[in-house]
Amino acid sequence: ITVNGITSGSNGVQATVAMTSNNGNINITGTAVTGQGVTNSGGVSALTANSGAVNITGTATTSGYGVYLYSNSSISAKSITVVGSTNTGSYGAYLNAMTIVAGGTNINVTGTVSTSSNYGIYDTGAITDNAAGSNISFISNGVIYQTGAISLVANTTVAPANITYNTTSDGSASSITAGALTITGSSTSPINYIIKTNGASINVPAISVPGYIVLDNTCPGCATAATPTTANANTNAITITGALAAGAL
């Protein structure tokens, strides 16, 4: 299924009903001037491609939202890629529940905003990843607010898997808030948990992974790394609300 839409008003692609691809991918691209690039407008919108990928790109060239899949929306596939961007709007990519089926690969979400204190990525839906060795990444130059529970299966592949949040392309005005993480089963390879910002605040719950944990808002590899005087001055640099446990793998 391929859907491409562009408009000077309203929404680029408005999908308020289900889409199912039984043997391939779902590719949706929408661009809007005043509305949303891609949206479900609150309708029941289940995007299902359990034998393929769901790829969504939404662009709002002015005040709309790039990708706006909110209440009643869900995505299920072997891989999920979402790229949302807005010029002056509040959300680059706004998502709900996502599922990777067994035998699948990765979730990659990228959100771009013009004002880094706006939401590059906003997702309160549950994320279920049934693919061993799958990577999950949230990359933005704005706020990443991902508070839905993440459930992973154990990594029984030969390669490490990573859960990554990154706003290092922005300065200190953004922030990262991460949701609860559960890993079921026994892993034979690492699952690493990585959050990096450039002076922006980090907020995490209890985290237990069979790999390493990195929470870093100093950005030593950045061309202009944060300093104590340029970092976010309005809150704690890193807030940890539960126990952290890293594994031996």
Side-chain angles (χ1 to χ4, degrees), residues 35-238:
Q36 277 60 265
V38 176
T39 183
N40 69 326
S41 291
V44 178
S45 175
L47 305 177
T48 305
N50 288 340
S51 295
V54 171
N55 304 302
I56 302 171
T57 301
T59 304
T61 61
T62 57
S63 59
Y65 308 154
V67 175
Y68 192 40
L69 301 176
Y70 53 115
S71 59
N72 301 315
S73 76
S74 63
I75 303 172
S76 179
K78 278 194 167 181
S79 73
I80 298 171
T81 300
V82 178
V83 179
S85 62
T86 179
N87 185 5
T88 59
S90 299
Y91 300 96
Y94 190 123
L95 301 169
N96 197 31
M98 293 186 284
T99 299
I100 295 292
V101 298
T105 56
N106 304 323
I107 296 176
N108 296 297
V109 181
T110 303
T112 303
V113 290
S114 61
T115 302
S116 57
S117 57
N118 287 343
Y119 291 101
I121 299 170
Y122 186 98
D123 189 356
T124 59
I127 297 173
T128 304
D129 195 332
N130 298 298
S134 175
N135 299 294
I136 300 175
S137 69
F138 302 97
I139 310 297
S140 181
N141 69 332
V143 173
I144 298 176
Y145 186 81
Q146 183 278 308
T147 58
I150 298 177
S151 177
L152 299 178
V153 295
N155 184 8
T156 54
T157 70
V158 297
N162 296 313
I163 303 168
T164 303
Y165 302 75
N166 191 307
T167 65
T168 56
S169 61
D170 169 58
S172 62
S174 65
S175 63
I176 295 176
T177 301
L181 173 65
T182 302
I183 299 172
T184 58
S186 298
S187 294
T188 55
S189 291
I191 298 175
N192 304 313
Y193 189 88
I194 306 158
I195 300 183
K196 293 184 178 182
T197 76
N198 188 12
S201 62
I202 296 170
N203 300 273
V204 296
I207 300 296
S208 178
V209 294
Y212 62 75
I213 297 172
V214 174
L215 309 175
D216 188 345
N217 86 328
T218 64
C219 201
C222 289
T224 305
T227 68
T229 57
T230 61
N232 193 327
N234 298 317
T235 186
N236 297 327
I238 299 176

